[in-house]
């Protein structure tokens, strides 16, 4: 667990910029039948003003769903730094963004809150990746639901 204190007795902690990808009323499902992690298409990017600043990454979807024989789905937040390859922020955590099990939380929301300390001023890109481990259709965003991916740069 990491404790992040913003601006405590340091004169720092000022929000420098906020970038947000938001859809208040999705016109279609964002879904996959893949048993491997697959890009959702929901992306946001930010170019840090200064190396060493904190980037807060927040994602939420108001309604996920799963149909088919397998009754689960989950996702991870991916990050790309500059011209590098996109990779999971936490490569071994299956429930990084959330988990759905039709038997107990069908139509539940999914959320993620994470952070990254910029190591340069290269552009950072974030995107949730999802999968349906046993097949079926996993929907990260249900038709008419909303989602947001928000990036906030905080001075450190």
């Amino acid at each position: 667990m990491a404790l992040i204190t913003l601006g405590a007795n340091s004169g720092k902690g000022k929000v420098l910029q906020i970038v947000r990808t938001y859809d208040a009323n999705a016109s279609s499902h964002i879904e996959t039948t893949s048993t491997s992690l697959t890009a959702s298409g929901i992306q946001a990017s930010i170019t840090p003003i200064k190396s060493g600043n904190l980037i807060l990454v927040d994602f939420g979807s108001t309604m996920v769903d799963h149909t088919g024989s397998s009754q689960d789905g989950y996702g991870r937040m991916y990050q790309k730094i500059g011209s590098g390859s996109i990779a999971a922020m936490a490569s071994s955590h299956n429930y990084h963004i959330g988990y759905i099990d039709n038997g107990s939380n069908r139509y539940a929301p999914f959320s993620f809150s994470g952070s990254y300390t910029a190591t340069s001023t290269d552009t950072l890109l974030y995107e949730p990746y999802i999968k349906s481990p046993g097949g079926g259709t996993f929907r990260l965003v249900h038709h008419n639901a909303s989602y947001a991916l928000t990036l906030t740069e905080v001075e450190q």
Side-chain angles (χ1 to χ4, degrees):
M1 179 169 78
L3 176 63
I4 299 172
T5 304
L6 301 177
N9 301 318
S10 68
K12 297 183 180 181
K14 181 171 78 171
V15 172
L16 300 176
Q17 59 177 320
I18 299 172
V19 175
R20 184 170 213 180
T21 297
Y22 172 63
D23 189 340
N25 187 16
S27 60
S28 62
H29 302 297
I30 296 175
E31 63 189 17
T32 189
T33 57
S34 177
T35 58
S36 299
L37 285 162
T38 304
S40 67
I42 300 170
Q43 297 182 340
S45 61
I46 192 168
T47 302
I49 293 170
K50 185 177 88 176
S51 178
N53 283 346
L54 185 66
I55 307 299
L56 303 177
V57 182
D58 294 292
F59 171 76
S61 172
T62 60
M63 183 185 289
V64 298
D65 185 22
H66 197 288
T67 61
S69 58
S70 170
Q71 297 196 4
D72 60 347
Y74 55 81
R76 292 185 198 146
M77 185 59 68
Y78 272 55
Q79 174 189 52
K80 180 179 178 188
I81 303 170
S83 61
S85 298
I86 195 159
M89 288 181 72
S91 60
S92 64
H93 301 291
N94 288 335
Y95 313 124
H96 199 219
I97 294 178
Y99 174 78
I100 183 173
D101 176 346
N102 272 353
S104 60
N105 66 339
R106 189 173 184 192
Y107 302 120
F110 256 29
S111 65
F112 171 81
S113 290
S115 62
Y116 171 75
T117 300
T119 57
S120 70
T121 56
D122 288 341
T123 298
L124 304 169
L125 175 110
Y126 293 89
E127 180 174 7
Y129 273 52
I130 56 174
K131 77 179 194 174
S132 178
T137 301
F138 171 57
R139 294 183 179 124
L140 178 63
V141 178
H142 199 284
H143 174 71
N144 291 328
S146 65
Y147 66 84
L149 175 56
T150 306
L151 311 176
T152 306
E153 182 179 5
V154 178
E155 185 177 31
Q156 293 296 292

